Amino acid sequence: MREHFRGRDYLTMMDFTKEEINFILETSADLKKKWSRREPHEYLRGRTYAMIFEKKSTRTRTSFQAGAAQLGAQTFYMRPDEMQSSRGEPIKDTARIIDRYCDGLFIRTFGQEIVEEFAKYMKNPVINALTSLAHPVQGLADLLTIKEKKGEFKGLKLAYAGDVYNVCHSLLIGCSMMGIDIYVARPEGYDAEVKVLEIAEKHAAISGSKIVFTSNMDEAVKDADIIYGNVWTSMGSHEDKEKEQRIRDFMPFQINMDAIKKAKRDVIFMHCLPGHRGEDMTDEVIESKYSVVWDQGENRMHTEKAVLVLTSY
């Protein structure tokens, strides 16, 4: 299976099979064990990775830098405002130069077409650290956390409440692929990208999972094994003038203890973070015994390390 990954980009989960995603998760679990035991695993000693972050980041940037260092690799941050691209240099020129210096690129940006253009002009792997379409490294961390907490995927029910955007898109793919029923609770008129939903439905037809979009929060959280929260206004996706309207629209979908009590007794609460306490979730929920958000956040590092190891030449 290792040969399936060498030199590949990691741009969306849609580019990978169920078997390949499971192999990444297995590799992640192995690397996590090594890290917890403080066993050396510097598989990428001597490698160098560039990082371009055009959006603010706490977890993604820190986890990539920490994970790469544990693997023996060096990373350096390329500030967008200091790059020649800020003066109009084409992506294809920037990409080909980075490719001559570095063994790969982590990039957090806006349109999916940007990471795809970098990948087109780079031989070395390009890893999507978030775009408007997808958050594929978050999707891996989510699956690893669910596997650790629930033991298996098949037959679980996940209720998602939040902006129907990049994180939701990656969850739709991951859940449908692994046989997890996913209920997306949102106001009418907020829907997923058509191409993402089409691929998720194809996976669901094979795995037997359900994909349900509902404006009824109770329907979503009833007997849920997992309740997953997200912000109502995603970074860089909406104008400020929409914020107040979104707060009004999404308030009935707040994850509070009433929602938790309608799920299964052993429900877990997940959130990609950052969250807005008092809006998309309450302080009581994130600080409760049901919350696994800190384990989920840690798993970002372990799954990203797996992607780095597997895609390296």
Side-chain angles (χ1 to χ4, degrees), residues 242-258:
E242 294 184 33
K243 185 174 181 180
E244 293 304 317
Q245 182 62 52
R246 280 177 160 263
I247 290 174
R248 289 192 293 271
D249 290 347
F250 277 92
M251 188 54 77
F253 302 91
Q254 181 189 70
I255 300 173
N256 48 40
M257 289 307 293
D258 286 341

Side-chain angles (χ1 to χ4, degrees), residues 211-243:
I211 300 173
V212 178
F213 281 75
T214 179
S215 56
N216 186 328
M217 184 66 167
D218 288 350
E219 179 187 8
V221 299
K222 179 177 169 53
D223 295 328
D225 299 280
I226 306 136
I227 296 180
Y228 195 117
N230 198 0
V231 294
W232 300 336
T233 303
S234 293
M235 179 174 49
S237 63
H238 312 291
E239 298 293 334
D240 289 341
K241 64 184 179 182
E242 294 184 33
K243 185 174 181 180

Side-chain angles (χ1 to χ4, degrees), residues 182-193:
I182 178 168
Y183 283 64
V184 178
R186 87 291 182 246
E188 291 289 346
Y190 294 88
D191 291 305
E193 287 281 342

Side-chain angles (χ1 to χ4, degrees), residues 3-276:
E3 63 277 7
H4 291 201
F5 297 92
R6 190 173 287 112
R8 285 178 70 179
D9 303 308
Y10 186 69
L11 305 185
T12 78
M13 295 178 72
M14 295 181 282
D15 302 327
F16 292 79
T17 66
K18 177 182 178 180
E19 291 71 27
E20 289 170 336
I21 294 296
N22 272 321
F23 190 76
I24 296 175
L25 297 178
E26 290 169 8
T27 305
S28 303
D30 180 62
L31 290 169
K32 185 173 182 177
K33 287 178 183 177
K34 286 180 168 60
W35 178 80
S36 64
R37 297 169 184 160
R38 295 301 188 262
E39 293 180 12
H41 49 284
E42 296 183 336
Y43 303 134
L44 300 180
R45 177 174 286 278
R47 304 295 178 90
T48 305
Y49 291 87
M51 300 171 52
I52 299 175
F53 280 64
E54 295 181 324
K55 291 184 176 185
K56 294 177 182 179
S57 177
T58 297
R59 279 148 291 276
T60 306
R61 180 176 168 183
T62 306
S63 58
F64 265 118
Q65 287 190 275
Q70 292 162 22
L71 293 169
Q74 290 188 325
T75 59
F76 60 91
Y77 176 56
M78 303 177 68
R79 279 183 51 176
D81 63 320
E82 294 181 343
M83 295 171 61
Q84 295 294 349
S85 56
S86 67
R87 297 172 57 193
E89 182 176 54
I91 289 175
K92 60 185 177 182
D93 293 1
T94 304
R96 285 181 285 200
I97 284 298
I98 291 174
D99 203 36
R100 296 298 180 102
Y101 300 150
C102 303
D103 296 289
L105 170 68
F106 322 140
I107 179 167
R108 183 181 183 95
T109 186
F110 295 88
Q112 183 71 18
E113 70 278 1
I114 296 173
V115 298
E116 290 176 357
E117 188 168 359
F118 270 100
K120 178 180 178 180
Y121 289 100
M122 289 183 65
K123 174 185 174 183
N124 287 305
V126 174
I127 299 173
N128 179 2
L130 180 142
T131 62
S132 57
L133 179 70
H135 199 352
V137 292
Q138 180 68 55
L140 289 174
D142 294 340
L143 290 177
L144 181 61
T145 305
I146 293 169
K147 188 69 177 288
E148 288 176 343
K149 302 301 179 183
K150 295 299 181 181
E152 58 183 359
F153 297 126
K154 188 72 174 176
L156 295 176
K157 177 182 178 180
L158 183 147
Y160 174 91
D163 194 8
V164 186
Y165 202 53
N166 43 30
V167 170
C168 183
H169 291 158
S170 293
L171 274 174
L172 282 166
I173 298 300
C175 288
S176 61
M177 184 183 287
M178 297 301 172
I180 301 171
D181 294 340
I182 178 168
Y183 283 64
V184 178
R186 87 291 182 246
E188 291 289 346
Y190 294 88
D191 291 305
E193 287 281 342
V194 172
K195 68 177 181 179
V196 173
L197 192 54
E198 287 176 349
I199 293 174
E201 287 173 343
K202 288 179 182 178
H203 283 305
I206 296 171
S207 69
S209 67
K210 296 178 184 176
I211 300 173
V212 178
F213 281 75
T214 179
S215 56
N216 186 328
M217 184 66 167
D218 288 350
E219 179 187 8
V221 299
K222 179 177 169 53
D223 295 328
D225 299 280
I226 306 136
I227 296 180
Y228 195 117
N230 198 0
V231 294
W232 300 336
T233 303
S234 293
M235 179 174 49
S237 63
H238 312 291
E239 298 293 334
D240 289 341
K241 64 184 179 182
E242 294 184 33
K243 185 174 181 180
E244 293 304 317
Q245 182 62 52
R246 280 177 160 263
I247 290 174
R248 289 192 293 271
D249 290 347
F250 277 92
M251 188 54 77
F253 302 91
Q254 181 189 70
I255 300 173
N256 48 40
M257 289 307 293
D258 286 341
I260 294 291
K261 290 174 182 177
K262 292 169 184 172
K264 290 184 179 176
R265 293 182 65 181
D266 62 347
V267 66
I268 59 174
F269 170 69
M270 299 176 67
H271 197 297
C272 55
L273 299 179
H276 296 154

